[in-house]
Amino acid sequence: MSEEKRRGGGDETVDGGPGLVYMPFVIMEELTDKLRLLEYDRNLLRKMNVKPISRHYFAIPTNPGEQFYMFTSIAAWLLRTAGKKFEQPQEYDDPNATISSILEEVRKFGHAVDFPPSKLKQGCGEHCIYVLDRLADEALISTGFRWRQPNYPEEEADEENIVEDDSELNLNEIEKTMLAGGGDTEDFSEDEPMLDLERMNKLNLNKTDASSKPEEILESTTDAVDWRLEVERVTPQLKVTIRTDNKVIHLDKLHDEISHTLEKIASREKYLNNQLENLLQDFRMAQDQLAETREKYRQASGGVTERSRTLAELTEELEKIKQEMEDRGSSMTDGAPLVKIKQSIQQLKKEITQMDIRSGVVEHVLLQAKLKDKTSQNKQAHSSNTQDGFII
């Protein structure tokens, strides 16, 4: 990496190619390995009660506040590991002062810092990785750590040298195994023959002679009935040795501690229940009162809902009445209806005059008809009287 990309590391040319973009990830992985060698998880993270950082934690921006706090905390711990007196930064400390103090200690170690302190405020990036990597190197030097030559594993043995497990044991080997394993037990007497599975496995693994393998399939000449009788006779004498595991003792102690802790918790619960009995009763009473109040509120809310509906209906009716009054008021102040009334009166007067004329004409016609009718009647009466006189 160049001098600008890898701060203080002048082992790369200026034109490093496109791979320089991914160099912070590589250095971050190396930094993670160095922190593990320094046992930062046990010496720092447990005290801070935080999880271990990932291998690309400071290479990718995620949470600036959290990353800056982790950067300053790890840097302060590395400085203390390297033998410097440096206080653990707090969240309320001035970030500029904290960064200046860390860079000052880095310069005292002789490392070049050719970037502004503001680059470290992000809590991530190549500058933060560079500072932590240099401090991790100084901490490893202070603790006396030295890189050793790698130990390469030896090549595996050939298949011919692999120890094969022979599952069949003759009776003499079983008896020797039982007699040899009889003295390692505490629950059985030395006179009783016992079957030690562990010793049998060791005995099988020690049989590595390849020449003992038969070239042909073996055929048994033993009578099956005799073999079954021998097995029934030997079976009661065969006993499996189960060695005591230290984990059982540890589990028993852990079980006792957990039982004792549970008893303490139960007694403490009883004590707290006795001490808080009055408060619990008050709390129950308060809950009952709260339930009653909620029920009253629910009932009152129902009445309020009904009244709200009635009020809405009255309001709607009132709006209708107001609209009618506004229409009437506007019609009263408007002169158009009055003009229409006057015109209607004039029209009525004309019609009345015409009706009067028609009535007069009809009366005149009727009068003329009546006069004509009366004249005719008089003529008829006169003529009848004349005719009667002549007759006399």
Side-chain angles (χ1 to χ4, degrees):
M1 184 181 290
S2 64
E3 189 68 22
E4 294 180 356
K5 296 294 181 181
R6 185 183 180 97
R7 303 299 174 181
D11 54 348
E12 303 249 349
T13 60
V14 176
D15 188 9
L20 290 177
V21 180
Y22 304 98
M23 188 57 66
F25 294 90
V26 178
I27 303 175
M28 183 62 207
E29 292 183 1
E30 296 177 356
L31 173 62
T32 306
D33 295 335
K34 294 176 184 179
L35 293 176
R36 291 173 181 172
L37 291 174
L38 293 170
E39 297 182 351
Y40 83 113
D41 52 347
R42 180 173 59 87
N43 298 326
L44 176 64
L45 298 183
R46 289 185 182 179
K47 297 179 181 179
M48 295 176 60
N49 194 19
V50 295
K51 297 180 180 179
I53 61 175
S54 61
R55 59 177 183 171
H56 297 153
Y57 182 77
F58 293 108
I60 302 174
T62 55
N63 188 347
E66 177 185 350
Q67 288 179 312
F68 180 77
Y69 177 68
M70 288 297 299
F71 164 73
T72 55
S73 300
I74 295 176
W77 175 73
L78 291 174
L79 288 172
R80 292 194 299 270
T81 306
K84 299 291 184 178
K85 292 183 178 179
F86 199 90
E87 296 293 334
Q88 181 69 19
Q90 303 297 328
E91 295 183 359
Y92 51 81
D93 292 345
D94 185 11
N96 296 322
T98 304
I99 292 173
S100 301
S101 302
I102 293 174
L103 292 180
E104 184 179 357
E105 297 295 335
V106 174
R107 293 189 185 95
K108 289 181 180 179
F109 283 118
H111 301 293
V113 179
D114 55 353
F115 54 86
S118 59
K119 294 289 185 179
L120 302 179
K121 282 188 176 182
Q122 300 176 359
C124 62
E126 56 178 345
H127 305 90
C128 295
I129 298 173
Y130 164 73
V131 172
L132 293 178
D133 187 57
R134 292 294 176 267
L135 293 178
D137 292 338
E138 296 297 334
L140 290 173
I141 295 173
S142 179
T143 55
F145 178 81
R146 295 292 183 272
W147 296 101
R148 300 177 183 177
Q149 294 293 334
N151 295 325
Y152 297 100
E154 297 180 357
E155 296 182 358
E156 297 181 357
D158 297 335
E159 294 181 358
E160 297 178 355
N161 299 327
I162 296 175
V163 179
E164 295 187 3
D165 185 10
D166 188 6
S167 59
E168 295 182 358
L169 294 176
N170 55 25
L171 184 59
N172 294 328
E173 291 175 348
I174 294 175
E175 291 178 355
K176 291 180 181 179
T177 304
M178 291 188 296
L179 293 175
D184 294 336
T185 59
E186 298 177 357
D187 299 334
F188 304 97
S189 61
E190 296 180 356
D191 297 335
E192 295 180 355
M194 292 176 293
L195 178 62
D196 193 343
L197 296 180
E198 183 178 358
R199 291 182 178 273
M200 289 176 63
N201 292 331
K202 291 181 179 178
L203 182 59
N204 293 333
L205 293 175
N206 291 331
K207 297 178 63 179
T208 59
D209 188 4
S211 62
S212 62
K213 294 182 178 180
E215 296 179 357
E216 298 179 356
I217 299 175
L218 296 178
E219 294 182 1
S220 177
T221 58
T222 306
D223 188 5
V225 178
D226 296 338
W227 176 261
R228 190 178 297 107
L229 292 175
E230 184 66 19
V231 171
E232 291 177 357
R233 185 184 65 82
V234 179
T235 299
Q237 299 179 2
L238 299 178
K239 296 181 180 179
V240 179
T241 303
I242 301 176
R243 299 185 181 276
T244 305
D245 193 356
N246 293 329
K247 294 182 180 179
V248 177
I249 300 175
H250 179 69
L251 290 176
D252 292 337
K253 291 182 179 179
L254 184 61
H255 178 267
D256 295 337
E257 292 178 358
I258 293 174
S259 301
H260 185 62
T261 304
L262 291 175
E263 291 177 358
K264 285 185 177 180
I265 293 173
S267 62
R268 185 61 58 87
E269 287 180 354
K270 291 180 181 179
Y271 175 75
L272 292 175
N273 290 333
N274 294 330
Q275 293 293 326
L276 301 176
E277 185 65 27
N278 296 329
L279 296 177
L280 290 174
Q281 291 181 357
D282 295 340
F283 178 70
R284 294 191 189 96
M285 294 176 62
Q287 282 186 333
D288 296 338
Q289 293 178 359
L290 178 61
E292 294 178 358
T293 305
R294 286 180 176 175
E295 182 64 23
K296 292 180 180 179
Y297 174 76
R298 187 181 63 81
Q299 296 177 358
S301 299
V304 171
T305 304
E306 183 66 23
R307 291 182 177 86
S308 299
R309 186 180 61 81
T310 306
L311 178 61
E313 293 177 356
L314 294 176
T315 303
E316 184 178 359
E317 186 176 356
L318 180 61
E319 290 294 333
K320 290 180 180 179
I321 295 173
K322 286 183 178 180
Q323 185 67 29
E324 292 178 359
M325 292 179 64
E326 289 178 358
D327 294 339
R328 291 181 180 179
S330 61
S331 62
M332 290 175 65
T333 56
D334 191 6
L338 184 60
V339 173
K340 291 180 180 180
I341 293 172
K342 288 182 179 180
Q343 291 177 356
S344 299
I345 292 172
Q346 294 294 332
Q347 186 68 22
L348 288 174
K349 286 181 179 180
K350 290 180 180 179
E351 293 178 355
I352 291 171
T353 303
Q354 292 177 358
M355 290 297 291
D356 292 339
I357 293 172
R358 290 178 180 178
S359 299
V361 172
V362 170
E363 290 178 355
H364 179 71
V365 172
L366 290 174
L367 181 60
Q368 291 294 328
K370 287 180 179 181
L371 291 176
K372 287 181 179 180
D373 187 19
K374 190 175 183 180
T375 302
S376 63
Q377 290 178 359
N378 291 329
K379 287 180 177 180
Q380 291 178 359
H382 180 71
S383 63
S384 63
N385 291 328
T386 303
Q387 291 177 0
D388 290 337
F390 288 131
I391 293 170
I392 295 172

